[in-house]
């Protein structure tokens, strides 16, 4: 039997990292202002969200690079002290181009901060977020999918696979763009394939990384190493589309040998590799990130190349800006899904979103041009950037999310 219609102030479609971060950030509006928030998540969550995690993440755990600005956002939410338990600091970022002498180093010490950012296992990030959500009076629908979404006066009507029907003043699509809801609503996206595939795995290296992250540009695309606990690092290795199948087919020894040849010895010898994962890389941007009664966040709004690790950090700033716009609307007496509220959000977001997309896309296109003169110019630019302190510090502060 179909359940009665439930009315909520905010419906969050997707309980992953972005959706869970939003629900956690809404805590003051939920606890102090009585806002009713629903979360719809198709994946089955662990039966004991608040159970103690293992002391160390599994070797194959995926991780995210959390910029310093994002660390500060999590501190505002009261979550950083828990996240820090399994966060590995990034003290230095080493940027180079294969076959060229130009190198740039960005350091936390030069910027007067304890770290440029941190690398956190996604399993731990999710556990801490969902522990917080377990303390909030949320209307959970899990596992459940939104089968139909219909605009109506004052918001949207959501029909769920668990038989529930919600009427939400504001619906937030934080589902990674995989549900087809944008298409149901007629929200178009601009998509440009990079003809590249990211291969991701965890590595064990022969010497301590001392908090150094590497971004190395190659003819096939960037190759990044991020510090993890112990002598482990996360690998993000870009391949030309189609060439990754041969690399995936290699046994561990041959894989490590090929990686060593591609990267060099700066990080030491690669001694062990975990399970390898691949996904295609494209630049995808929703043409309408907001509508009255609707916000699109995270990868549903903008899927970026992983170069410089900006994707989740951009999404988290979107979360915080949305909460700020909702708090301002509350003070004005405006509804959460009103055109006025979402116009305020777009004023806060548009510049940051444009700058980050232009920055990450520009890096890929600049280093993807196979031209001898331009290669020398890039190398000179990296050397010059390493010599010019103010420019290097500005770049670092932008990458850290401390400037927009």
């Amino acid at each position: 039997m179909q359940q009665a219609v439930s009315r909520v102030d905010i419906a969050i479609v997707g309980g992953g990292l972005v959706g869970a971060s939003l629900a956690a950030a809404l805590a003051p509006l939920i606890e102090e202002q009585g806002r009713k928030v629903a979360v719809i998540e198709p994946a089955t969550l662990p039966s004991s969200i608040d159970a103690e995690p293992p002391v160390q993440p599994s070797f194959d755990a995926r991780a995210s690079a959390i910029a310093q600005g994002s660390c500060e956002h999590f501190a505002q939410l009261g979550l950083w002290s828990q996240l820090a338990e399994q966060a590995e600091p990034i003290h230095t970022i080493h940027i180079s181009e294969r076959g060229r002498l130009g190198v740039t180093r960005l350091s936390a010490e030069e910027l007067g901060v304890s770290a440029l950012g941190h690398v956190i296992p996604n399993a731990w990030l999710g556990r801490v977020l969902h522990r917080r959500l377990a303390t909030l009076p949320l209307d959970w629908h899990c596992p459940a999918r939104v089968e139909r979404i219909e605009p109506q006066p004052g918001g949207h009507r959501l029909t769920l696979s668990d038989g529930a029907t919600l009427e939400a003043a504001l619906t937030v699509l934080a589902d990674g763009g995989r549900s087809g809801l944008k298409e149901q609503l007629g929200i178009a996206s601009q998509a440009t394939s990079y003809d590249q595939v990211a291969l991701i795995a965890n590595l064990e290296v022969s010497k301590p990384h001392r908090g150094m992250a590497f971004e190395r540009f190659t003819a096939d695309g960037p190759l990044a190493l991020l510090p993890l606990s112990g002598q482990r690092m996360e690998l993000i290795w870009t391949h030309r589309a189609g060439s990754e199948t041969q690399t995936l087919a290699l046994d561990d020894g041959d894989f490590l040998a090929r990686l060593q040849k591609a990267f060099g010895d700066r990080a030491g010898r690669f001694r062990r590799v975990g399970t390898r994962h691949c996904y295609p890389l494209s630049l995808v941007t929703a043409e309408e990130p907001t509508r009255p009664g609707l916000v699109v966040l995270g990868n549903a709004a903008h899927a970026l190349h992983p170069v410089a690790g900006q994707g989740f950090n951009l999404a988290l700033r979107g979360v915080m800006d949305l909460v700020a716009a909702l708090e301002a609307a509350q003070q004005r007496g405006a509804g959460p899904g009103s055109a006025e509220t979402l116009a305020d959000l777009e004023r806060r977001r548009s510049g940051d979103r444009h700058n980050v997309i232009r920055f990450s896309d520009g890096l890929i296109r600049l280093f993807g041009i196979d031209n001898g003169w331009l290669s020398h110019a890039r190398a000179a630019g990296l050397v010059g950037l390493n010599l010019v302190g103010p420019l290097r510090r500005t770049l670092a502060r932008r990458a850290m999310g401390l400037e927009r």
Side-chain angles (χ1 to χ4, degrees), residues 331-404:
Q331 294 174 0
R332 295 192 307 268
S338 68
E340 178 187 5
T341 300
L342 300 183
D344 179 23
L345 170 63
E346 191 60 16
R347 283 192 295 271
R348 298 169 187 266
R349 293 299 314 133
S350 59
D352 182 32
R353 183 174 60 239
H354 173 75
N355 289 338
V356 170
I357 291 173
R358 183 177 61 179
F359 170 66
S360 61
D361 184 58
L363 277 178
I364 294 304
R365 299 193 183 284
L366 173 63
F367 282 92
I369 299 174
D370 186 12
N371 177 286
W373 177 86
L374 188 56
S375 295
H376 289 296
R378 288 194 300 257
L382 287 174
V383 171
L385 186 59
N386 205 44
L387 294 174
V388 181
L391 182 58
R392 186 173 66 255
R393 287 190 288 273
T394 297
L395 173 64
R397 290 187 63 81
R398 283 188 175 274
M400 291 162 63
L402 300 178
E403 291 183 2
R404 299 193 184 187

Side-chain angles (χ1 to χ4, degrees), residues 9-74:
D9 296 299
I10 302 168
I12 303 172
V13 182
L17 295 184
V18 176
S21 296
L22 174 59
L26 288 170
L29 288 175
I30 296 170
E31 296 174 322
E32 299 168 15
Q33 305 297 333
R35 290 294 190 183
K36 189 172 183 181
V37 176
V39 181
I40 304 101
E41 169 54 45
T44 301
L45 294 177
S47 58
S48 55
I49 288 175
D50 58 348
E52 287 299 319
V55 174
Q56 294 292 335
S58 67
F59 184 75
D60 292 319
R62 295 277 298 274
S64 293
I66 307 298
Q68 186 62 23
S70 296
C71 298
E72 294 179 4
H73 288 319
F74 280 125

Side-chain angles (χ1 to χ4, degrees), residues 34-35 54 65 175 177 186 200 221 226 276 317 325 344 356:
R35 290 294 190 183
D175 57 1
I200 298 175
L226 302 176
R276 306 164 218 170
R317 293 198 295 276
D344 179 23
V356 170

